[in-house]
mmCIF file of all heavy atoms in Angstrom:
data_model
loop_
_atom_site.group_PDB
_atom_site.id
_atom_site.type_symbol
_atom_site.label_atom_id
_atom_site.label_comp_id
_atom_site.label_asym_id
_atom_site.label_seq_id
_atom_site.Cartn_x
_atom_site.Cartn_y
_atom_site.Cartn_z
ATOM 1 N N ALA A 27 41.504 15.803 -26.099
ATOM 2 C CA ALA A 27 42.048 16.181 -24.793
ATOM 3 C C ALA A 27 41.813 15.090 -23.765
ATOM 4 O O ALA A 27 42.684 14.780 -22.944
ATOM 5 C CB ALA A 27 41.414 17.497 -24.335
ATOM 6 N N GLN A 28 40.614 14.477 -23.803
ATOM 7 C CA GLN A 28 40.304 13.420 -22.849
ATOM 8 C C GLN A 28 41.178 12.185 -23.072
ATOM 9 O O GLN A 28 41.447 11.429 -22.143
ATOM 10 C CB GLN A 28 38.821 13.043 -22.975
ATOM 11 C CG GLN A 28 37.871 14.139 -22.515
ATOM 12 C CD GLN A 28 36.432 13.838 -22.895
ATOM 13 O OE1 GLN A 28 36.149 12.822 -23.521
ATOM 14 N NE2 GLN A 28 35.530 14.718 -22.516
ATOM 15 N N LEU A 29 41.612 11.996 -24.315
ATOM 16 C CA LEU A 29 42.423 10.821 -24.642
ATOM 17 C C LEU A 29 43.918 11.048 -24.459
ATOM 18 O O LEU A 29 44.724 10.237 -24.879
ATOM 19 C CB LEU A 29 42.153 10.401 -26.086
ATOM 20 C CG LEU A 29 40.769 9.842 -26.378
ATOM 21 C CD1 LEU A 29 40.632 9.553 -27.870
ATOM 22 C CD2 LEU A 29 40.501 8.584 -25.575
ATOM 23 N N SER A 30 44.284 12.136 -23.821
ATOM 24 C CA SER A 30 45.705 12.458 -23.663
ATOM 25 C C SER A 30 46.254 12.007 -22.325
ATOM 26 O O SER A 30 47.338 12.404 -21.941
ATOM 27 C CB SER A 30 45.917 13.961 -23.817
ATOM 28 O OG SER A 30 45.233 14.656 -22.774
ATOM 29 N N GLY A 31 45.543 11.161 -21.597
ATOM 30 C CA GLY A 31 45.978 10.653 -20.299
ATOM 31 C C GLY A 31 46.966 9.517 -20.416
ATOM 32 O O GLY A 31 47.463 9.192 -21.494
ATOM 33 N N ALA A 32 47.195 8.863 -19.288
ATOM 34 C CA ALA A 32 48.211 7.823 -19.219
ATOM 35 C C ALA A 32 47.902 6.635 -20.110
ATOM 36 O O ALA A 32 48.810 6.015 -20.653
ATOM 37 C CB ALA A 32 48.354 7.355 -17.772
ATOM 38 N N GLN A 33 46.621 6.286 -20.284
ATOM 39 C CA GLN A 33 46.295 5.104 -21.079
ATOM 40 C C GLN A 33 46.695 5.297 -22.531
ATOM 41 O O GLN A 33 47.287 4.408 -23.149
ATOM 42 C CB GLN A 33 44.802 4.796 -20.986
ATOM 43 C CG GLN A 33 44.423 3.481 -21.674
ATOM 44 C CD GLN A 33 42.978 3.103 -21.432
ATOM 45 O OE1 GLN A 33 42.220 3.852 -20.827
ATOM 46 N NE2 GLN A 33 42.586 1.942 -21.903
ATOM 47 N N LEU A 34 46.388 6.472 -23.115
ATOM 48 C CA LEU A 34 46.776 6.725 -24.495
ATOM 49 C C LEU A 34 48.290 6.799 -24.623
ATOM 50 O O LEU A 34 48.869 6.321 -25.597
ATOM 51 C CB LEU A 34 46.137 8.017 -25.000
ATOM 52 C CG LEU A 34 46.445 8.360 -26.467
ATOM 53 C CD1 LEU A 34 45.946 7.257 -27.387
ATOM 54 C CD2 LEU A 34 45.827 9.682 -26.838
ATOM 55 N N GLN A 35 48.961 7.383 -23.634
ATOM 56 C CA GLN A 35 50.417 7.438 -23.661
ATOM 57 C C GLN A 35 50.993 6.027 -23.705
ATOM 58 O O GLN A 35 51.945 5.758 -24.435
ATOM 59 C CB GLN A 35 50.941 8.187 -22.435
ATOM 60 C CG GLN A 35 50.649 9.679 -22.466
ATOM 61 C CD GLN A 35 51.092 10.374 -21.199
ATOM 62 O OE1 GLN A 35 51.553 9.741 -20.256
ATOM 63 N NE2 GLN A 35 50.946 11.684 -21.160
ATOM 64 N N ALA A 36 50.410 5.122 -22.923
ATOM 65 C CA ALA A 36 50.900 3.749 -22.914
ATOM 66 C C ALA A 36 50.670 3.075 -24.259
ATOM 67 O O ALA A 36 51.518 2.335 -24.751
ATOM 68 C CB ALA A 36 50.211 2.955 -21.809
ATOM 69 N N LEU A 37 49.513 3.323 -24.868
ATOM 70 C CA LEU A 37 49.247 2.752 -26.184
ATOM 71 C C LEU A 37 50.284 3.228 -27.197
ATOM 72 O O LEU A 37 50.794 2.450 -27.998
ATOM 73 C CB LEU A 37 47.843 3.131 -26.645
ATOM 74 C CG LEU A 37 46.701 2.280 -26.094
ATOM 75 C CD1 LEU A 37 45.365 2.944 -26.387
ATOM 76 C CD2 LEU A 37 46.745 0.886 -26.680
ATOM 77 N N LYS A 38 50.594 4.510 -27.156
ATOM 78 C CA LYS A 38 51.591 5.038 -28.085
ATOM 79 C C LYS A 38 52.947 4.413 -27.832
ATOM 80 O O LYS A 38 53.695 4.103 -28.765
ATOM 81 C CB LYS A 38 51.678 6.562 -27.946
ATOM 82 C CG LYS A 38 50.456 7.289 -28.506
ATOM 83 C CD LYS A 38 50.601 8.791 -28.344
ATOM 84 C CE LYS A 38 49.404 9.514 -28.935
ATOM 85 N NZ LYS A 38 49.513 10.981 -28.750
ATOM 86 N N MET A 39 53.294 4.216 -26.546
ATOM 87 C CA MET A 39 54.578 3.599 -26.231
ATOM 88 C C MET A 39 54.626 2.164 -26.739
ATOM 89 O O MET A 39 55.618 1.704 -27.290
ATOM 90 C CB MET A 39 54.808 3.626 -24.719
ATOM 91 C CG MET A 39 55.036 5.016 -24.153
ATOM 92 S SD MET A 39 55.003 4.998 -22.342
ATOM 93 C CE MET A 39 55.039 6.748 -21.987
ATOM 94 N N GLN A 40 53.534 1.419 -26.507
ATOM 95 C CA GLN A 40 53.520 0.022 -26.895
ATOM 96 C C GLN A 40 53.397 -0.151 -28.395
ATOM 97 O O GLN A 40 53.918 -1.112 -28.954
ATOM 98 C CB GLN A 40 52.352 -0.692 -26.201
ATOM 99 C CG GLN A 40 52.528 -0.842 -24.694
ATOM 100 C CD GLN A 40 53.736 -1.692 -24.345
ATOM 101 O OE1 GLN A 40 54.235 -2.430 -25.173
ATOM 102 N NE2 GLN A 40 54.212 -1.571 -23.127
ATOM 103 N N LEU A 41 52.671 0.756 -29.054
ATOM 104 C CA LEU A 41 52.404 0.591 -30.466
ATOM 105 C C LEU A 41 53.350 1.410 -31.338
ATOM 106 O O LEU A 41 53.034 1.703 -32.481
ATOM 107 C CB LEU A 41 50.951 0.980 -30.764
ATOM 108 C CG LEU A 41 49.901 0.124 -30.071
ATOM 109 C CD1 LEU A 41 48.507 0.652 -30.390
ATOM 110 C CD2 LEU A 41 50.023 -1.326 -30.486
ATOM 111 N N ASN A 42 54.511 1.781 -30.794
ATOM 112 C CA ASN A 42 55.432 2.531 -31.620
ATOM 113 C C ASN A 42 55.974 1.630 -32.723
ATOM 114 O O ASN A 42 56.030 0.412 -32.584
ATOM 115 C CB ASN A 42 56.567 3.124 -30.770
ATOM 116 C CG ASN A 42 57.499 2.057 -30.247
ATOM 117 O OD1 ASN A 42 58.302 1.501 -30.985
ATOM 118 N ND2 ASN A 42 57.402 1.754 -28.964
ATOM 119 N N PRO A 43 56.356 2.201 -33.872
ATOM 120 C CA PRO A 43 56.795 1.386 -35.010
ATOM 121 C C PRO A 43 57.955 0.454 -34.675
ATOM 122 O O PRO A 43 58.011 -0.667 -35.168
ATOM 123 C CB PRO A 43 57.202 2.437 -36.041
ATOM 124 C CG PRO A 43 56.390 3.644 -35.692
ATOM 125 C CD PRO A 43 56.276 3.627 -34.197
ATOM 126 N N HIS A 44 58.890 0.912 -33.841
ATOM 127 C CA HIS A 44 60.050 0.093 -33.488
ATOM 128 C C HIS A 44 59.608 -1.192 -32.801
ATOM 129 O O HIS A 44 60.035 -2.292 -33.165
ATOM 130 C CB HIS A 44 60.979 0.897 -32.578
ATOM 131 C CG HIS A 44 62.201 0.153 -32.145
ATOM 132 N ND1 HIS A 44 62.220 -0.656 -31.028
ATOM 133 C CD2 HIS A 44 63.442 0.082 -32.683
ATOM 134 C CE1 HIS A 44 63.423 -1.186 -30.895
ATOM 135 N NE2 HIS A 44 64.176 -0.759 -31.880
ATOM 136 N N PHE A 45 58.734 -1.068 -31.830
ATOM 137 C CA PHE A 45 58.282 -2.239 -31.066
ATOM 138 C C PHE A 45 57.470 -3.182 -31.953
ATOM 139 O O PHE A 45 57.708 -4.396 -31.987
ATOM 140 C CB PHE A 45 57.458 -1.778 -29.868
ATOM 141 C CG PHE A 45 56.800 -2.916 -29.128
ATOM 142 C CD1 PHE A 45 57.539 -3.773 -28.350
ATOM 143 C CD2 PHE A 45 55.436 -3.110 -29.220
ATOM 144 C CE1 PHE A 45 56.938 -4.822 -27.672
ATOM 145 C CE2 PHE A 45 54.827 -4.154 -28.552
ATOM 146 C CZ PHE A 45 55.578 -5.009 -27.773
ATOM 147 N N LEU A 46 56.497 -2.640 -32.697
ATOM 148 C CA LEU A 46 55.652 -3.484 -33.538
ATOM 149 C C LEU A 46 56.454 -4.131 -34.662
ATOM 150 O O LEU A 46 56.237 -5.303 -34.984
ATOM 151 C CB LEU A 46 54.506 -2.660 -34.120
ATOM 152 C CG LEU A 46 53.311 -2.425 -33.199
ATOM 153 C CD1 LEU A 46 52.219 -1.679 -33.947
ATOM 154 C CD2 LEU A 46 52.764 -3.737 -32.659
ATOM 155 N N PHE A 47 57.367 -3.398 -35.265
ATOM 156 C CA PHE A 47 58.161 -3.958 -36.346
ATOM 157 C C PHE A 47 58.996 -5.125 -35.840
ATOM 158 O O PHE A 47 59.040 -6.191 -36.475
ATOM 159 C CB PHE A 47 59.073 -2.882 -36.951
ATOM 160 C CG PHE A 47 60.030 -3.431 -37.985
ATOM 161 C CD1 PHE A 47 59.618 -3.647 -39.288
ATOM 162 C CD2 PHE A 47 61.341 -3.733 -37.634
ATOM 163 C CE1 PHE A 47 60.498 -4.159 -40.232
ATOM 164 C CE2 PHE A 47 62.220 -4.250 -38.574
ATOM 165 C CZ PHE A 47 61.804 -4.462 -39.883
ATOM 166 N N ASN A 48 59.687 -4.942 -34.723
ATOM 167 C CA ASN A 48 60.534 -6.005 -34.197
ATOM 168 C C ASN A 48 59.719 -7.228 -33.796
ATOM 169 O O ASN A 48 60.133 -8.366 -34.018
ATOM 170 C CB ASN A 48 61.342 -5.503 -32.997
ATOM 171 C CG ASN A 48 62.529 -4.664 -33.424
ATOM 172 O OD1 ASN A 48 62.979 -4.742 -34.565
ATOM 173 N ND2 ASN A 48 63.031 -3.846 -32.520
ATOM 174 N N THR A 49 58.543 -6.994 -33.189
ATOM 175 C CA THR A 49 57.707 -8.118 -32.786
ATOM 176 C C THR A 49 57.183 -8.868 -34.008
ATOM 177 O O THR A 49 57.221 -10.101 -34.061
ATOM 178 C CB THR A 49 56.530 -7.627 -31.919
ATOM 179 O OG1 THR A 49 57.050 -6.912 -30.788
ATOM 180 C CG2 THR A 49 55.702 -8.799 -31.415
ATOM 181 N N HIS A 50 56.694 -8.117 -34.998
ATOM 182 C CA HIS A 50 56.197 -8.738 -36.230
ATOM 183 C C HIS A 50 57.315 -9.493 -36.939
ATOM 184 O O HIS A 50 57.126 -10.633 -37.408
ATOM 185 C CB HIS A 50 55.609 -7.664 -37.148
ATOM 186 C CG HIS A 50 55.143 -8.188 -38.462
ATOM 187 N ND1 HIS A 50 55.925 -8.137 -39.601
ATOM 188 C CD2 HIS A 50 53.976 -8.786 -38.826
ATOM 189 C CE1 HIS A 50 55.261 -8.682 -40.606
ATOM 190 N NE2 HIS A 50 54.085 -9.075 -40.176
ATOM 191 N N HIS A 51 58.479 -8.890 -37.029
ATOM 192 C CA HIS A 51 59.619 -9.533 -37.694
ATOM 193 C C HIS A 51 59.999 -10.821 -36.971
ATOM 194 O O HIS A 51 60.306 -11.843 -37.619
ATOM 195 C CB HIS A 51 60.810 -8.571 -37.721
ATOM 196 C CG HIS A 51 62.026 -9.124 -38.391
ATOM 197 N ND1 HIS A 51 62.133 -9.254 -39.754
ATOM 198 C CD2 HIS A 51 63.189 -9.605 -37.868
ATOM 199 C CE1 HIS A 51 63.312 -9.786 -40.060
ATOM 200 N NE2 HIS A 51 63.970 -10.003 -38.934
ATOM 201 N N ALA A 52 59.977 -10.789 -35.650
ATOM 202 C CA ALA A 52 60.316 -11.988 -34.878
ATOM 203 C C ALA A 52 59.300 -13.101 -35.096
ATOM 204 O O ALA A 52 59.663 -14.276 -35.215
ATOM 205 C CB ALA A 52 60.408 -11.640 -33.393
ATOM 206 N N ILE A 53 58.014 -12.736 -35.149
ATOM 207 C CA ILE A 53 56.969 -13.746 -35.374
ATOM 208 C C ILE A 53 57.137 -14.385 -36.749
ATOM 209 O O ILE A 53 57.079 -15.617 -36.892
ATOM 210 C CB ILE A 53 55.572 -13.107 -35.240
ATOM 211 C CG1 ILE A 53 55.311 -12.711 -33.783
ATOM 212 C CG2 ILE A 53 54.483 -14.076 -35.708
ATOM 213 C CD1 ILE A 53 54.069 -11.875 -33.593
ATOM 214 N N VAL A 54 57.373 -13.573 -37.785
ATOM 215 C CA VAL A 54 57.575 -14.102 -39.135
ATOM 216 C C VAL A 54 58.805 -15.008 -39.170
ATOM 217 O O VAL A 54 58.789 -16.091 -39.775
ATOM 218 C CB VAL A 54 57.717 -12.951 -40.149
ATOM 219 C CG1 VAL A 54 58.126 -13.487 -41.519
ATOM 220 C CG2 VAL A 54 56.415 -12.177 -40.257
ATOM 221 N N GLY A 55 59.866 -14.580 -38.502
ATOM 222 C CA GLY A 55 61.081 -15.392 -38.475
ATOM 223 C C GLY A 55 60.854 -16.751 -37.822
ATOM 224 O O GLY A 55 61.349 -17.779 -38.311
ATOM 225 N N LEU A 56 60.090 -16.768 -36.749
ATOM 226 C CA LEU A 56 59.798 -18.032 -36.078
ATOM 227 C C LEU A 56 58.968 -18.950 -36.969
ATOM 228 O O LEU A 56 59.181 -20.170 -36.993
ATOM 229 C CB LEU A 56 59.060 -17.762 -34.764
ATOM 230 C CG LEU A 56 59.878 -17.088 -33.662
ATOM 231 C CD1 LEU A 56 58.980 -16.714 -32.488
ATOM 232 C CD2 LEU A 56 61.009 -17.995 -33.192
ATOM 233 N N ILE A 57 58.020 -18.368 -37.701
ATOM 234 C CA ILE A 57 57.192 -19.173 -38.608
ATOM 235 C C ILE A 57 58.053 -19.758 -39.723
ATOM 236 O O ILE A 57 57.931 -20.942 -40.071
ATOM 237 C CB ILE A 57 56.048 -18.324 -39.182
ATOM 238 C CG1 ILE A 57 55.058 -17.937 -38.069
ATOM 239 C CG2 ILE A 57 55.310 -19.092 -40.286
ATOM 240 C CD1 ILE A 57 53.985 -16.967 -38.510
ATOM 241 N N LEU A 58 58.939 -18.948 -40.311
ATOM 242 C CA LEU A 58 59.803 -19.429 -41.385
ATOM 243 C C LEU A 58 60.742 -20.525 -40.891
ATOM 244 O O LEU A 58 61.110 -21.423 -41.666
ATOM 245 C CB LEU A 58 60.610 -18.265 -41.963
ATOM 246 C CG LEU A 58 59.799 -17.212 -42.734
ATOM 247 C CD1 LEU A 58 60.700 -16.076 -43.180
ATOM 248 C CD2 LEU A 58 59.108 -17.840 -43.945
ATOM 249 N N GLU A 59 61.130 -20.437 -39.621
ATOM 250 C CA GLU A 59 61.995 -21.465 -39.039
ATOM 251 C C GLU A 59 61.198 -22.653 -38.514
ATOM 252 O O GLU A 59 61.756 -23.562 -37.912
ATOM 253 C CB GLU A 59 62.817 -20.856 -37.888
ATOM 254 C CG GLU A 59 63.808 -19.801 -38.352
ATOM 255 C CD GLU A 59 64.445 -19.064 -37.182
ATOM 256 O OE1 GLU A 59 64.173 -19.460 -36.022
ATOM 257 O OE2 GLU A 59 65.214 -18.125 -37.429
ATOM 258 N N GLN A 60 59.876 -22.618 -38.747
ATOM 259 C CA GLN A 60 58.955 -23.679 -38.342
ATOM 260 C C GLN A 60 58.958 -23.882 -36.819
ATOM 261 O O GLN A 60 58.706 -24.980 -36.328
ATOM 262 C CB GLN A 60 59.284 -24.993 -39.059
ATOM 263 C CG GLN A 60 59.118 -24.898 -40.567
ATOM 264 C CD GLN A 60 59.309 -26.226 -41.266
ATOM 265 O OE1 GLN A 60 59.753 -27.203 -40.670
ATOM 266 N NE2 GLN A 60 58.957 -26.267 -42.541
ATOM 267 N N GLU A 61 59.228 -22.807 -36.097
ATOM 268 C CA GLU A 61 59.112 -22.849 -34.634
ATOM 269 C C GLU A 61 57.733 -22.303 -34.272
ATOM 270 O O GLU A 61 57.591 -21.224 -33.702
ATOM 271 C CB GLU A 61 60.231 -22.042 -33.993
ATOM 272 C CG GLU A 61 61.617 -22.616 -34.265
ATOM 273 C CD GLU A 61 62.632 -22.141 -33.247
ATOM 274 O OE1 GLU A 61 62.233 -21.875 -32.089
ATOM 275 O OE2 GLU A 61 63.809 -22.024 -33.613
ATOM 276 N N ASN A 62 56.726 -23.097 -34.629
ATOM 277 C CA ASN A 62 55.350 -22.622 -34.513
ATOM 278 C C ASN A 62 54.926 -22.401 -33.070
ATOM 279 O O ASN A 62 54.152 -21.484 -32.784
ATOM 280 C CB ASN A 62 54.405 -23.614 -35.195
ATOM 281 C CG ASN A 62 54.625 -23.677 -36.696
ATOM 282 O OD1 ASN A 62 55.099 -22.716 -37.293
ATOM 283 N ND2 ASN A 62 54.312 -24.802 -37.305
ATOM 284 N N ASP A 63 55.401 -23.234 -32.146
ATOM 285 C CA ASP A 63 55.012 -23.069 -30.747
ATOM 286 C C ASP A 63 55.481 -21.722 -30.201
ATOM 287 O O ASP A 63 54.730 -21.028 -29.501
ATOM 288 C CB ASP A 63 55.584 -24.207 -29.900
ATOM 289 C CG ASP A 63 54.894 -25.537 -30.174
ATOM 290 O OD1 ASP A 63 53.789 -25.518 -30.761
ATOM 291 O OD2 ASP A 63 55.456 -26.586 -29.805
ATOM 292 N N ARG A 64 56.704 -21.337 -30.531
ATOM 293 C CA ARG A 64 57.220 -20.051 -30.065
ATOM 294 C C ARG A 64 56.504 -18.899 -30.754
ATOM 295 O O ARG A 64 56.251 -17.852 -30.145
ATOM 296 C CB ARG A 64 58.725 -19.959 -30.297
ATOM 297 C CG ARG A 64 59.555 -20.855 -29.370
ATOM 298 C CD ARG A 64 61.031 -20.715 -29.666
ATOM 299 N NE ARG A 64 61.474 -19.333 -29.511
ATOM 300 C CZ ARG A 64 62.475 -18.812 -30.201
ATOM 301 N NH1 ARG A 64 63.099 -19.513 -31.132
ATOM 302 N NH2 ARG A 64 62.845 -17.563 -29.999
ATOM 303 N N ALA A 65 56.177 -19.069 -32.048
ATOM 304 C CA ALA A 65 55.443 -18.024 -32.767
ATOM 305 C C ALA A 65 54.073 -17.816 -32.147
ATOM 306 O O ALA A 65 53.634 -16.673 -31.945
ATOM 307 C CB ALA A 65 55.311 -18.398 -34.243
ATOM 308 N N ILE A 66 53.386 -18.905 -31.827
ATOM 309 C CA ILE A 66 52.070 -18.801 -31.188
ATOM 310 C C ILE A 66 52.197 -18.165 -29.816
ATOM 311 O O ILE A 66 51.373 -17.329 -29.420
ATOM 312 C CB ILE A 66 51.423 -20.198 -31.081
ATOM 313 C CG1 ILE A 66 51.069 -20.716 -32.474
ATOM 314 C CG2 ILE A 66 50.175 -20.149 -30.208
ATOM 315 C CD1 ILE A 66 50.608 -22.157 -32.498
ATOM 316 N N ASP A 67 53.247 -18.516 -29.091
ATOM 317 C CA ASP A 67 53.478 -17.937 -27.767
ATOM 318 C C ASP A 67 53.656 -16.428 -27.857
ATOM 319 O O ASP A 67 53.112 -15.658 -27.056
ATOM 320 C CB ASP A 67 54.716 -18.586 -27.133
ATOM 321 C CG ASP A 67 54.857 -18.241 -25.659
ATOM 322 O OD1 ASP A 67 53.897 -17.690 -25.072
ATOM 323 O OD2 ASP A 67 55.921 -18.534 -25.086
ATOM 324 N N MET A 68 54.383 -15.963 -28.879
ATOM 325 C CA MET A 68 54.613 -14.524 -29.028
ATOM 326 C C MET A 68 53.336 -13.800 -29.428
ATOM 327 O O MET A 68 53.035 -12.708 -28.913
ATOM 328 C CB MET A 68 55.719 -14.262 -30.040
ATOM 329 C CG MET A 68 56.042 -12.786 -30.223
ATOM 330 S SD MET A 68 57.516 -12.448 -31.217
ATOM 331 C CE MET A 68 58.818 -12.787 -30.038
ATOM 332 N N VAL A 69 52.559 -14.383 -30.349
ATOM 333 C CA VAL A 69 51.291 -13.763 -30.742
ATOM 334 C C VAL A 69 50.354 -13.672 -29.536
ATOM 335 O O VAL A 69 49.695 -12.642 -29.315
ATOM 336 C CB VAL A 69 50.627 -14.566 -31.882
ATOM 337 C CG1 VAL A 69 49.213 -14.060 -32.137
ATOM 338 C CG2 VAL A 69 51.453 -14.469 -33.152
ATOM 339 N N THR A 70 50.292 -14.749 -28.764
ATOM 340 C CA THR A 70 49.437 -14.750 -27.576
ATOM 341 C C THR A 70 49.891 -13.694 -26.576
ATOM 342 O O THR A 70 49.066 -12.972 -25.993
ATOM 343 C CB THR A 70 49.450 -16.134 -26.917
ATOM 344 O OG1 THR A 70 49.006 -17.114 -27.862
ATOM 345 C CG2 THR A 70 48.547 -16.162 -25.695
ATOM 346 N N SER A 71 51.200 -13.586 -26.370
ATOM 347 C CA SER A 71 51.725 -12.594 -25.422
ATOM 348 C C SER A 71 51.438 -11.174 -25.885
ATOM 349 O O SER A 71 51.111 -10.297 -25.083
ATOM 350 C CB SER A 71 53.240 -12.794 -25.239
ATOM 351 O OG SER A 71 53.517 -14.055 -24.674
ATOM 352 N N LEU A 72 51.558 -10.931 -27.192
ATOM 353 C CA LEU A 72 51.257 -9.601 -27.726
ATOM 354 C C LEU A 72 49.777 -9.277 -27.532
ATOM 355 O O LEU A 72 49.422 -8.146 -27.153
ATOM 356 C CB LEU A 72 51.624 -9.535 -29.204
ATOM 357 C CG LEU A 72 51.366 -8.202 -29.908
ATOM 358 C CD1 LEU A 72 52.145 -7.075 -29.245
ATOM 359 C CD2 LEU A 72 51.724 -8.301 -31.389
#
């Protein structure tokens, strides 16, 4: 009950499968394309 406030709601919003999947997929794609600077930038931003 204590964890049902706005902070947990935000975690659920940010950590939803759609968001994490797309971010992870984008990072892998950047690495495969050898765009390491952009991949590092995305990991840091996440």
Side-chain angles (χ1 to χ4, degrees):
Q28 292 169 359
L29 292 177
S30 64
Q33 186 173 5
L34 182 60
Q35 290 176 356
L37 278 168
K38 289 180 178 178
M39 291 170 188
Q40 291 298 341
L41 298 177
N42 69 74
H44 180 273
F45 172 73
L46 279 184
F47 174 82
N48 282 340
T49 303
H50 177 264
H51 181 75
I53 291 170
V54 172
L56 291 173
I57 293 173
L58 292 177
E59 294 171 5
Q60 297 186 350
E61 296 201 30
N62 294 334
D63 289 343
R64 289 180 59 210
I66 292 172
D67 191 12
M68 181 171 282
V69 171
T70 302
S71 297
L72 180 59

